[in-house]
Structure formats: C-alpha cells, structure tokens
Amino acid sequence: MLQKLPKSFLYLLGIVFFVNLLQAHFTELIFDEAYYWYYAKDLAWGYFDHPPMVALLIKISSFFFDGELGVRFMSCIISAGTYMVLWAMIDAEKNKEYVVHFFILTFSMTLLNAYGFLTLPDTPLLFFTALFLLIYKKFIKTPSFVTALLLGVVMAALMYSKYHAVLVILFVLLSNLKLLINKYAWLAAIMALLCYTPHFLWLYEHDFVSFRYHLYERPNAAYDFSKYTLSFLLNLVAIFGLTFPWIYKSLFKTMAFDLFTKALLYLAYGVLIFFFISSFNRRVQAQWIIVISIPLVVLVFNYMLKEESTRKWVFRTGIATIAVLFFLRIGLIYEHLFPIYYETHGNKHWVAKVEALAENNPVVFENSYRFAPMYEFYSGKPAISLNNVHYRKNQYSIDSSEFTVQHKKVLYVSQNIFERKLSYSRTNGEIFYAKFIENFESYRKLTCILEKEEVENPYGKTLNLKIFNPYDSDIALERIKFGAAFLNAHKELRDIQRIAEIRPESNILALKSNDTTLFTFKLPKPEMEDPKYFRLGISENGLPYGLNGANIKIE
C-alpha cells in the first residue's frame, strides 16, 4: 500500500501522525481513557461496559512508552492506518491531484480528529470499519476463500472494538441481501463467529452483564426534545464542524451506482435513521454516530472531485474548522486557553492533593469509576470505586478490586461525608470530602436473588429471597442491613427504605461462605408515588446500600 501512496500523501500523513504523537504525550488523560487503562491492567476477553479491543491497544502502547503516550501510542498508529485505508477506497483518477483536499476533509471532522490521539473504543471502531469496507469492496468484485476469511476476521475485530459495530455489519448486509445466498459470505460469518467465541464465553461466564446493563439496567430519563432529539441534531453538525452543509449535500446528492457505493449510503443513512429514532427514547451521544465519518469521507471526497463548488467550500470551511480545532487542541494542554473547564485539566493537581491526604494508604472512591483509575494512573497508588444504589455498576463491580482493600486502613472519598475534617477541591470547583476507615470491609459481591422478575402489588406480602455469599468467610448477620431502592419508570432512583421485616428460614447467625441462604421479607411501602421498579441492597458496616439485587418490576 505504501508504494501506491503519493509522496504528498505520505508527507501530510507524517505531519498528522507527528502532531497526534505530540498531543498524545502532552495532554492529560480524560476519565474514560483512565478507566480503559484500568481495563488494560488485567487483560481479559471482555469488560463490564465494552469488549476488550481498547484494553489491548493500551496494553500494546504500554510496551513502548510510559505515561499518557503509553495509553495512546497505538491510537496514533491506527489513526494513521485509517487515513491510508480511506485513501485506498477511493478509485477516482484525479484523486492524486487533491491529496491536500483529502486531508483537509478528514482532519476537519471533529471527532475523527480527536480520535487521532485519544484512546477510546471508537478509535479501533473507526479503523476496523474502514478496513471492513475496503475488504468488502474487494469481496464484492472477486469473492474468494481468502477474502472471506479476512472479512470474517475484520468483522470480529469490529465487534471486539464496540458493540455498535453490529450496525455497520447490519446495514452493509441490508445493502446487498444477495449475500444471504453467497457461500463466501457465510464463510466470512462463520469465521467472525469463531473469532468472537472467546467474548461470547466471557459474556456467558459473567451472566451477560454487558448486555443486561446496556439493554435493560441503564437508567434513562423522561423524554425531553431539547436534551434528546435536538441534541442529536446538533451533534450531526458538531461532528463535522463548519463543513457540515457540504458534507450532507454530498450525501444527499450521491446515487448508488454500484454495490459498494450502495453499502456506503446504507451505512450512513442507516446509522443516522437508527439514532434519530433512538433520540425519542434516550440521549444519543455524539460518539455513537461517529462511525458515519468513514463512509462519508469516501462519498464526500468522490463528490468533491466532480463538483467544483463543493470542493472549494469544503476546502475553505475545512481550513477554518482545522484552525479552531488546533486552538482547542492546544487548550486541552494549556487550561487557560480553553473556553471552558475540560477533563484533561488539573487531574495531576487533584491527584497530588488526595495522595497527600491518603498517607500511602489505599483510596476508596465512592461511586466513581472515573476518579479511581485517574488517581491510580497519576499516583501509582491503589484505588477502587465502591458503588452503591445512588450510582451504577461498572468494572469495579465484577472484578477482584474490592479484595485489595479488605481489612486495610483506607481513605474513603465522597461528596456525601458528614465528618468533613478532610477535603480537597478540583479545578472545576467541585469539593470532595474524605475520612479514614481503619479496618475497611465491604461485601458488594453479595447477591440478592428473587425468583420473579415482576411482582404484583408487593407491599406487605411475604416474599422469598435468596442471598448468595461468594466470599471465603462467613458474614455475621448483625453486620449487615437490608434496604429497598425504589425507581421510577426510567429506572432513576427516587426513594430508599430500610427493610426491617426480614428473617432467615433457619435459625442462623451468619451467611455461610460460598453458600446460599434463604430469607423471607416484607417490602416496605415507599414514600414516592407509583414506583415502577425496586432493587434490594445490603449495607455493611454502615456503608451505603450496595447494588446487590436486580431491578424488579412492580405490577
């Protein structure tokens, strides 16, 4: 591929790569990157929120560099690869005359620009989407055994990057339903499933925790046009910057004259329509639609080559957008140049404050998968997130991090501590409080199991409950309390009530190790009106109620 690339392309790609390396080195991590760095400390076939590709990239990066570049190096590499694959998808004879236009088009796409150095699941998603489309282009021209195998491997890589990848595969399939009777297409599908089997096994072993969270347990809110649909429409503008009128004009003007162009159009329109419909139910984040950048680079550039007016305006507005993006990228490093506070600002500063307070003891952050890994990254000291009913589950809920702080003196950090002798503030003005716990002990892995997923008018009724204790020691009943968290129709917490009437079926004083104990209890009536769900939680040693039970629907 490198031999076919024009020299001007290689020079510009080298400049972009070098700029991204500098940015990656000098910019502090964002919270999600720190969280994925935490993933990479223990490579696995899956994680609570995402498949494992992002963790693998960070692990590989860490072999070459320390610090921020040790998180982002591979993102810079595969971002350069994305540019090369996109260029390889363009067949126009005049494309070599407009290399500069190509880079202005791609570099002015805001999130495509950002993912040139940030390490997020969308970074490999973009690369493997481009590679999938390039191989698919060759596949529809000359299907073969080798091409089918390559296509299958890349489809698996797509799905290992982010679950949204299923939309990429689905809309390409819908653009060419004859694939359903193509033996090579079936070979590709089988290959993809074989490669993805380790992740399926991980999901099975972890009770499909990722799917359950994303599809059923994730809190939502009542529909709000400005927060949902209008926000989605604004994101359609934001991801392309000032070039957006000509981006969408090129999309609307392009006709499907061959199967590959048809696939690009189906992918772009399919993602847009899917998330537009989704915006009537939930808030659509900008990065969820970023994958349309890949087909649109090809469609828009091909249209630019034919339509001089579009070419001129994309060039002009693209340069203006890049100028703004450069200013913002500098502001990511130098806080006083950025128009607002951003999460790359001041992390080393607040981490140093907490590290001084902790006095070499582990830190337990209440309800923050964001702060715990950021603290651990910049301090090199252990930290965990302890999640309760006011928050949600995350990777810290399913891994062994809880065991690293058991029976140790820890600094407990929260915004909800009444003993406010210790505190620190962040750059954005947030104040956090801390206290020492001399002998920390938590039981967040205790599992409350109700046989039914729905209970009709449960108040006052005697309900059966199983509690599984996965720990290696018995847990005295006197050390734990039970509570019920009540949620509205959007699974937002609205009320918490202690469960006073709960009894073990036999005369026991402890939850036996690695065993299940049977209880009966009566659900207290909440103060909130018309709750739609409840979930059970356990408070140990005076800590807030945990996320020990699933959401149970109230009929």
Side-chain angles (χ1 to χ4, degrees), residues 288-342:
W288 294 359
I289 55 176
I290 182 60
V291 74
I292 67 171
S293 298
I294 299 302
L296 284 178
V297 165
V298 180
L299 294 172
V300 175
F301 188 72
N302 282 330
Y303 189 78
M304 286 167 59
L305 295 180
K306 296 182 292 184
E307 224 274 322
E308 184 178 359
S309 174
T310 298
R311 184 165 68 244
K312 287 180 178 179
W313 278 108
V314 169
F315 189 87
R316 293 167 182 169
T317 55
I319 288 177
T321 301
I322 290 170
V324 173
L325 291 176
F326 261 114
F327 176 78
L328 294 176
R329 284 176 67 144
I330 294 171
L332 292 177
I333 303 171
Y334 300 104
E335 182 179 350
H336 63 280
L337 294 178
F338 208 75
I340 58 172
Y341 165 80
Y342 190 62

Side-chain angles (χ1 to χ4, degrees), residues 336-492:
H336 63 280
L337 294 178
F338 208 75
I340 58 172
Y341 165 80
Y342 190 62
E343 55 191 84
T344 59
H345 302 142
N347 291 312
K348 292 179 181 179
H349 185 61
W350 73 257
V351 165
K353 289 182 179 180
V354 177
E355 188 176 7
L357 291 175
E359 301 173 354
N360 290 319
N361 294 296
V363 180
V364 175
F365 289 89
E366 181 181 275
N367 291 342
S368 187
Y369 73 89
R370 294 157 61 87
F371 295 143
M374 188 71 81
Y375 174 82
E376 190 168 354
F377 179 83
Y378 282 115
S379 71
K381 307 289 178 59
I384 73 164
S385 173
L386 193 74
N387 309 308
N388 61 47
V389 292
H390 295 278
Y391 198 49
R392 71 167 181 89
K393 289 186 176 182
N394 49 55
Q395 183 61 24
Y396 289 94
S397 303
I398 64 171
D399 65 16
S400 60
S401 59
E402 183 189 41
F403 299 111
T404 64
V405 296
Q406 296 299 312
H407 303 292
K408 294 181 180 180
K409 180 180 179 179
V410 304
L411 183 72
Y412 189 85
V413 177
S414 171
Q415 288 182 306
N416 304 299
I417 291 176
F418 295 106
E419 307 165 21
R420 298 184 171 183
K421 296 178 182 179
L422 301 176
S423 67
Y424 70 93
S425 61
R426 294 179 59 229
T427 305
N428 65 348
E430 281 185 306
I431 299 176
F432 288 80
Y433 303 95
K435 66 178 181 180
F436 283 107
I437 299 177
E438 292 295 330
N439 181 21
F440 183 82
E441 189 175 42
S442 62
Y443 308 125
R444 292 299 147 109
K445 295 186 182 297
L446 290 176
T447 306
C448 297
I449 306 167
L450 269 71
E451 295 297 333
K452 298 181 178 179
E453 296 182 356
E454 298 182 4
V455 181
E456 185 177 357
N457 191 23
Y459 313 114
K461 292 181 178 179
T462 298
L463 302 175
N464 296 318
L465 170 67
K466 296 178 182 178
I467 299 179
F468 175 66
N469 173 15
Y471 296 93
D472 292 331
S473 58
D474 296 349
I475 298 172
L477 291 179
E478 65 180 9
R479 307 186 71 174
I480 60 178
K481 297 177 181 178
F482 296 87
F486 294 92
L487 302 90
N488 63 16
H490 306 289
K491 299 176 183 175
E492 297 173 307

Side-chain angles (χ1 to χ4, degrees), residues 141-152:
K141 287 182 178 179
T142 53
S144 66
F145 181 82
V146 174
T147 310
L149 292 181
L150 285 174
L151 196 63

Side-chain angles (χ1 to χ4, degrees), residues 1-10 13 80 83-85 87-88 96 99:
M1 181 182 290
L2 288 176
Q3 294 178 347
K4 297 180 181 180
L5 295 173
K7 287 185 178 179
S8 56
F9 184 97
L10 292 175
L13 183 63
Y83 280 89
M84 290 190 289
V85 174
W87 182 260
K96 294 181 181 180
V99 172

